[in-house]
Amino acid sequence: MTTTRRVTWAEANARRIGRQHLAAPASAKGSSPAAITGVTLGAHAQVLSAAELSIALRLAGATRADVREALWTDATLVKTYGPRGTVHLLPAADLPLWTGALSAIPAGPNPMPPASRMTDEQTEEVLTAIGDALAESALTVDELTDAIVERTGPWAGERVMEAFQDLWPRWRQVTHRAAHRGVLCFGPNRGRKVTYTDPHRALPGFTPMDGAAAHTELVRRYLHAYGPATPRHFARWLAAPGAWAAGLFASLAEQGEIEDVLFEEAPGWVVAGDTDFADGPVRGVRLLPYFDAFAIASQPRDLLFPGRAEERALAGGQAGNFPVLLVDGTVAGVWHQRRSGRRIAVTVEPIAPGTLTPARLRALEEQAERVGEVLEGRAELTVGEVTVGPHA
């Protein structure tokens, strides 16, 4: 008779933190920015400096320059639209997996007003035009708009898409889909202007994986990093339909790819055979930047953001909009950094009085110093109120 493995929050959290290189940074000799980004399943890069910090903090001795070199020189990282249709840094070697998986997720309801939408035929026209336009060179948004309109028609360039108190051309509503199809990613900025390019230019011969195989591998990697987890957690992380995720998990369970456990006395899933968990609780102090993968993907949220942490560190229930202070594995405060030349003012606001014991304060000082090193500056720590609001 098989006994279902029972997993506590402390056990799961300790394993996640260990695997995410938050208990101790990975050795620079045995790892790399791309490897770290693969372990975390991407680094949210809407704020590129936050992604640089998120990756480098997990790699001993690394700085933002190492991440930039991996992205723009070595091309072992790629900046593109990843899970949830948001900007991410992903390992270039994993791009076949990501494009295969993301392009095969069923589309949800179209959020655009009816008058702004594109038909399926128009969408395919635009995706073909993007691939054709970017095949030879990197283009700014305006240049790409002109190239798409030339290949499709004026309708693609009509400014009907509301975004950031502006109106964008109609075609831009499928930018993330072009990335998921593997015909678009970010190129180096041209001054202050964003450019797009074709990932095939940096990765000749790159081909998206088969969708079903990619989904299997993505679930395995997700559960390795963030398990135990449920189909609902997986769907929320991807911004995918819940019913589709439930069906995928059921199929993988039937195939023996994943197995169920009791996580805090509720059903959860891990990779088949991956049922070893650390005995001891998490100890230590960590500073995580905006949109850190661990803060976004770890579930249940009420255990990672306990008590007043939910009110202070979650912006309307959205993780990642505040950089967070982790104390012994749970969110215990928020923080902010402001740069002036080489000086980096780091302000940390603990949620509860007495959180920072003398030992924890010393650890926090070391963390602030490490933030300064990563950002190639000199950190000055202040413990006090953070008056900056959440990042939108």
Side-chain angles (χ1 to χ4, degrees):
M1 180 176 179
T2 302
T3 302
T4 302
R5 174 73 157 90
R6 281 177 160 78
V7 182
T8 66
W9 164 254
E11 290 174 322
N13 198 37
R15 189 170 84 167
R16 292 171 184 174
I17 284 177
R19 289 181 173 181
Q20 296 263 327
H21 300 295
L22 292 175
S27 166
K29 291 184 178 180
S31 193
S32 66
I36 294 295
T37 310
V39 167
T40 61
L41 294 184
H44 194 295
Q46 189 72 42
V47 180
L48 185 56
S49 61
E52 294 167 350
L53 186 55
S54 185
I55 295 167
L57 283 173
R58 290 168 160 87
L59 186 60
T63 70
R64 63 180 183 176
D66 296 300
V67 181
R68 291 174 180 179
E69 183 176 5
L71 177 59
W72 303 124
T73 304
D74 300 339
T76 54
L77 288 175
V78 62
K79 182 181 177 185
T80 188
Y81 291 88
R84 303 178 301 283
T86 54
V87 181
H88 274 69
L89 299 187
L90 301 172
D94 288 346
L95 201 58
L97 164 66
W98 281 104
T99 52
L102 295 175
S103 63
I105 294 174
N110 191 329
M112 300 296 295
S116 303
R117 295 176 187 172
M118 292 161 48
T119 66
D120 291 343
E121 292 76 13
Q122 288 174 328
T123 296
E124 292 303 319
E125 277 191 71
V126 167
L127 294 176
T128 299
I130 290 172
D132 181 54
L134 296 178
E136 300 299 330
S137 62
L139 300 177
T140 67
V141 172
D142 291 340
E143 291 168 344
L144 183 54
T145 297
D146 291 342
I148 291 170
V149 168
E150 180 182 347
R151 289 164 172 78
T152 59
W155 56 266
E158 292 173 349
R159 302 181 72 86
V160 297
M161 183 180 170
E162 294 187 8
F164 300 100
Q165 298 179 331
D166 194 6
L167 290 176
W168 287 357
R170 188 189 305 273
W171 74 266
R172 290 191 65 177
Q173 63 191 272
V174 297
T175 309
H176 68 285
R177 192 176 301 185
H180 294 173
R181 287 278 192 93
V183 297
L184 173 149
C185 67
F186 287 83
N189 283 3
R190 194 185 301 166
R192 293 190 175 185
K193 291 185 176 181
V194 167
T195 72
Y196 292 122
T197 189
D198 188 326
H200 291 85
R201 298 180 64 210
L203 302 168
F206 139 69
T207 303
M209 282 179 64
D210 168 75
H215 289 157
T216 297
E217 181 61 18
L218 190 59
V219 170
R220 288 178 59 85
R221 293 193 188 192
Y222 171 80
L223 291 179
H224 181 269
Y226 302 108
T230 67
R232 182 177 61 84
H233 296 151
F234 181 71
R236 183 174 185 179
W237 171 69
L238 276 182
W244 168 81
L248 175 60
F249 271 56
S251 174
L252 294 178
E254 186 175 342
Q255 297 169 39
E257 294 282 354
I258 61 177
E259 66 177 275
D260 60 320
V261 296
L262 279 178
F263 179 33
E264 288 291 308
E265 301 303 315
W269 294 92
V270 296
V271 176
D274 190 24
T275 55
D276 290 335
F277 290 84
D279 293 329
V282 175
R283 296 292 182 225
V285 174
R286 293 290 180 271
L287 294 174
L288 302 185
Y290 284 115
F291 305 113
D292 189 85
F294 176 80
I296 289 176
S298 287
Q299 296 282 354
R301 286 260 171 86
D302 61 335
L303 296 180
L304 182 61
F305 294 81
R308 287 194 58 239
E310 179 179 7
E311 175 186 342
R312 184 67 183 93
L314 289 179
Q318 176 63 51
N321 286 335
F322 280 104
V324 296
L325 165 70
L326 286 186
V327 173
D328 295 345
T330 59
V331 175
V334 296
W335 67 285
H336 180 71
Q337 60 94 3
R338 186 183 303 278
R339 188 177 194 122
S340 177
R342 284 188 52 80
R343 178 179 177 272
I344 300 170
V346 176
T347 303
V348 178
E349 178 188 331
I351 289 171
T355 297
L356 294 179
T357 63
R360 287 173 177 169
L361 181 57
R362 287 192 296 272
L364 178 59
E365 290 168 346
E366 293 174 359
Q367 276 285 288
E369 182 178 349
R370 180 69 184 117
V371 167
E373 291 173 354
V374 169
L375 298 179
E376 300 175 305
R378 184 185 72 258
E380 295 181 6
L381 174 65
T382 300
V383 177
E385 183 182 5
V386 170
T387 57
V388 178
H391 194 285

